[in-house]
Amino acid sequence: MSFRVAGERFGFTLPPRCDAVPDGWRDLDRAVWRWVLAHGGDAATALAAGWLSHAEGEGHSALSLRRTGQDGRPLLDAAQRAALACSPLVTNLARGEIAQDRPFVLDGDSLYLLRNYRAEVFIADAIRARRAAARPPRCPVTRGDLRVLFNGSWQDGEERQRAAVCQAVGRRLMILTGGPGTGKTTTVLRMLLALSREHHAHTGALPQLRIAAPTGKAAQRLAESLQQGVDRLQAGLLSVGQDWLPHLQAVQAIEAATVHRLLGSRGHRGGYTYHADEPLPADIVVVDEASMLDLGMLRALLAALRDDAVLVLVGDADQLTSVGTGSVMMDVVQALEADPRGDLVRLSHCFRADRALVPINEAVRSGDAAAFASAIAAAAVHQVPDVVSLRRRVLAWARDLQTTLAQAGIATPVDVGDQQALAARLAVLRRQQLLCALREGPFGAVQVAQATAARLRTWDALSPWADGQWYPGRCVMITRNDHAARLYNGDVGICVLVQEAGTSRLQVAFEGAQDPGVREAGSSASSVRLLDPGALPPHEDAFAITVHKSQGSEYDRVAVLLPPDPTSPLLVRQLLYTGVSRAKTALELWAMPEVTQKALATALVRHGQLARRITGPPRG
């Protein structure tokens, strides 16, 4: 059942509205409360259901009955919890009841929606089964293999990468986690080659390989990174590793997709083409940016895989969790670290030439305030207590952006077929990026992007386009998937001036080959494709974006803007870590000291019991 429609649509008479419900509830939470009362639930169950809906809106898999409100008092008192435990709408596992058709499940001090409880149980069972299915490999990876796969390199910093390649073979589940610059994609390529060889040894055929990510942008970046790795590895394999070439070619032929597309999402109709009764035709599946997976998506993915298929989840478990329900990557990593069996590898060595920012990332990741105070000297810190100070910072940032655009020749026409010149303009998107904790309000990405655009429009070089919506250098982010245009939510493009047959026009440049799946030998892993501004799906200015939207991307220079209110619920360690770790060479932190301290000291915790279910005995 779903609570995403108003109660009146269920065909029953609702009780009168009540203004006594908590002030912080959404309309949806109130609708759930009224639904319970209309279905014979008592006041305590209705109150608990409303709070459960509210908790799910915050990303929790369940409502903790120990949770307290802002006044420090429990959301439900002892009498209300007792009534809830006996409600006919609640399956109480403590009484030996089996979760079947009642809308709520009480598991100890956790109250679940039935679908979220079932999802946790299913995921835990599937992960335990995959871990138990590990077998000794038929083709174990030798030291000689590793020397070939790593181009003869044997650095100490690559030890965990080599371990991941060796340990993946023979397993049905492998988790690879680590921060930016730790070589996750490099490791994934070698793992895929070793897994492909193992599959061939068992079946005599090359495997069906699939790679995916929660967003189109992340999927595209994974495909490009793998292709670049293939290009670097191919020369060495031609001379010393001929046996690996068929597997390299199999990897080279993979096309990336979003997880929704991989599973065959049916859109508004709901469900997927591939599920337990119609398994996904894949032998090895890699999902990148797995921290962005929510509870329902991981359940659907695991349900669609054959029992003998290999699943590799890749991501940074310390990043922000999904915008949906649960914190599945964090929970899975926690469970596997508590019960180590070799199917989890955490990469920590950073391979970037400029490692000045690494101590900042590590200090934030661990919540070490003292280490952060020392490491932040490598960044520029600006206090922004109010809108006036923020305006000054945005103006300075916009001036720097103008300089970057001028250096790229953004207002100069470029031949429509000059891929090198177009790529130089597109590269501006990776030079600097302003990241905001908030989306709305004066400190939010929308208004900050508008302010940046307004300052940029005063540039004399853009005067020919003063009256138009589009102008060279305008950066936009796609906000809705458009499969026909091969543009997806989160894709970022830049407006460029192109010329063809003596005529100039504005186009929007995006990363990606003009023809999917077609790549000439010797060409780069990606190229620039141009689209008419009027043909774009819904979009918005991308001069500033939210930290959430930045996941999966990296930029040379990053500014992270935090709101000045230290009580903001968004100020958590994972958000700060995600923001600062997007920077490769230069970082600016626009925040008040007390705000930064609050974020460092506050770890995002989503209530649920997935980690416990994975490590504990089966329970359904």
Side-chain angles (χ1 to χ4, degrees):
M1 59 169 289
S2 171
F3 296 120
R4 297 188 180 277
V5 293
E8 286 84 350
R9 295 184 60 187
F10 283 95
F12 52 80
T13 302
L14 288 171
R17 283 191 174 273
C18 177
D19 295 327
V21 298
D23 293 336
W25 279 10
R26 306 165 298 164
D27 289 343
L28 176 59
D29 308 331
R30 292 170 178 262
V32 172
W33 172 81
R34 298 173 71 204
W35 185 94
V36 170
L37 292 177
H39 278 71
D42 57 70
T45 303
L47 180 64
W51 277 120
L52 173 57
S53 171
H54 188 77
E56 188 186 37
E58 295 176 332
H60 300 282
S61 303
L63 171 68
S64 171
L65 299 185
R66 297 182 180 181
R67 181 172 174 174
T68 58
Q70 293 182 349
D71 58 2
R73 298 171 59 186
L75 299 182
L76 278 74
D77 60 30
Q80 290 169 328
R81 291 197 297 271
L84 176 68
C86 300
S87 171
L89 297 179
V90 176
T91 298
N92 188 347
L93 300 182
R95 298 193 304 197
E97 298 172 351
I98 299 176
Q100 292 181 340
D101 54 358
R102 297 179 187 178
F104 307 108
V105 178
L106 184 60
D107 187 1
D109 287 327
S110 299
L111 181 66
Y112 285 85
L113 289 172
L114 177 60
R115 56 177 163 80
N116 287 344
Y117 172 78
R118 284 176 169 169
E120 276 197 0
V121 171
F122 181 91
I123 291 170
D125 288 346
I127 288 179
R128 280 199 306 271
R130 288 187 168 277
R131 300 190 80 190
R135 297 290 183 270
R138 183 168 295 183
C139 288
V141 179
T142 66
R143 289 177 63 90
D145 292 332
L146 291 172
R147 289 195 179 277
V148 172
L149 293 177
F150 284 83
N151 296 101
S153 175
W154 201 270
Q155 303 176 42
D156 290 342
E158 295 171 338
E159 187 274 331
R160 298 305 299 152
Q161 292 190 11
R162 294 191 293 269
V165 174
C166 293
Q167 292 168 205
V169 180
R171 301 185 186 277
R172 293 290 177 261
L173 174 72
M174 189 71 194
I175 310 295
L176 183 67
T177 186
T182 55
K184 292 190 295 294
T185 306
T186 299
T187 308
V188 166
L189 172 58
R190 275 71 180 176
M191 289 169 65
L192 279 171
L193 293 173
L195 289 169
S196 176
R197 185 179 70 170
E198 179 72 8
H199 179 87
H200 185 271
H202 279 276
T203 67
L206 291 174
Q208 291 183 289
L209 304 175
R210 299 287 187 272
I211 59 174
T215 68
K217 178 177 68 174
Q220 178 180 320
R221 291 195 181 281
L222 173 62
E224 291 172 355
S225 297
L226 286 176
Q227 185 58 66
Q228 291 165 2
V230 167
D231 291 343
R232 289 191 295 268
L233 188 58
Q234 199 159 22
L237 293 184
L238 285 172
S239 58
V240 297
Q242 291 283 344
D243 293 343
W244 290 102
L245 286 179
H247 308 292
L248 192 73
Q249 292 164 357
V251 173
Q252 193 172 20
I254 305 175
E255 290 188 18
T258 64
V259 179
H260 280 87
R261 194 172 182 183
L262 175 75
L263 299 180
S265 172
R266 292 173 176 155
H268 296 302
R269 292 177 296 167
Y272 300 94
T273 301
Y274 299 111
H275 45 76
D277 296 326
E278 186 66 36
L280 179 72
D283 301 304
I284 302 168
V285 175
V286 175
V287 177
D288 196 15
E289 297 296 341
S291 63
M292 300 168 69
L293 291 173
D294 62 22
L295 193 69
M297 181 54 62
L298 182 56
R299 176 184 181 172
L301 175 64
L302 288 167
L305 294 179
R306 301 194 316 264
D307 290 342
D308 62 344
V310 179
L311 175 62
V312 180
L313 296 178
V314 185
D316 189 343
D318 298 304
Q319 277 191 173
L320 277 168
T321 55
S322 72
V323 295
T325 303
S327 50
V328 294
M329 183 66 169
M330 188 185 305
D331 293 341
V332 171
V333 168
Q334 178 185 338
L336 270 58
E337 285 183 331
D339 179 21
R341 301 184 192 176
D343 43 14
L344 166 70
V345 171
R346 183 185 287 272
L347 304 178
S348 58
H349 180 81
C350 183
F351 290 89
R352 289 175 176 167
D354 187 345
R355 304 186 65 220
L357 302 180
V358 173
I360 298 177
N361 297 343
E362 182 55 31
V364 176
R365 189 189 72 81
S366 61
D368 189 332
F372 178 80
S374 174
I376 197 62
V381 180
H382 302 283
Q383 296 189 19
V384 283
D386 49 40
V387 174
V388 174
S389 58
L390 174 60
R391 187 179 301 120
R392 289 196 296 267
R393 293 271 17 110
V394 172
L395 289 177
W397 183 264
R399 284 195 297 269
D400 291 346
L401 177 60
Q402 177 181 312
T403 300
T404 301
L405 291 169
Q407 291 172 345
I410 198 67
T412 304
V414 59
D415 188 88
V416 70
D418 190 342
Q419 283 285 308
Q420 184 174 358
L422 289 171
R425 285 155 174 74
L426 191 61
V428 169
L429 297 173
R430 297 189 293 274
R431 299 276 175 79
Q432 67 180 79
Q433 183 64 62
L434 178 52
L435 306 179
C436 303
L438 302 175
R439 171 174 168 78
E440 307 294 343
F443 281 76
V446 174
Q447 288 193 30
V448 172
Q450 291 172 349
T452 306
R455 173 61 180 81
L456 198 60
R457 295 300 297 268
T458 65
W459 183 18
D460 290 341
L462 299 182
S463 58
W465 300 275
D467 298 327
Q469 178 185 8
W470 289 93
Y471 50 91
R474 184 188 179 195
C475 301
V476 294
M477 174 176 283
I478 302 301
T479 58
R480 191 174 71 193
N481 293 342
D482 186 333
H483 295 290
R486 289 183 287 112
L487 291 175
Y488 304 96
N489 184 12
D491 285 350
V492 180
I494 186 169
C495 187
V496 296
L497 182 63
V498 301
Q499 61 183 4
E500 186 175 22
T503 302
S504 298
R505 68 181 188 275
L506 293 175
Q507 295 281 274
V508 186
F510 290 89
E511 292 181 350
Q514 296 282 2
D515 299 310
V518 177
R519 181 173 178 268
E520 296 180 1
S523 66
S524 61
S526 64
S527 57
V528 181
R529 59 194 183 102
L530 301 173
L531 290 91
D532 188 87
L536 295 186
H539 54 273
E540 60 189 18
D541 281 335
F543 296 115
I545 63 175
T546 63
V547 174
H548 259 109
K549 287 287 189 179
S550 74
Q551 292 186 84
S553 299
E554 293 179 314
Y555 314 93
D556 294 339
R557 177 187 175 195
V558 165
V560 178
L561 171 62
L562 302 181
D565 179 10
T567 65
S568 171
L570 292 177
L571 294 176
V572 295
R573 188 182 306 158
Q574 287 88 341
L575 179 135
L576 182 57
Y577 171 78
T578 303
V580 300
S581 63
R582 300 308 94 197
K584 296 174 68 175
T585 59
L587 172 67
E588 297 181 21
L589 181 60
W590 301 2
M592 301 301 292
E594 62 271 22
V595 167
T596 305
Q597 292 168 10
K598 165 68 183 312
L600 275 173
T602 309
L604 175 65
V605 178
R606 286 186 168 176
H607 188 69
Q609 301 190 60
L610 178 59
R612 178 190 66 79
R613 297 188 201 283
I614 293 172
T615 56
R619 183 178 183 180

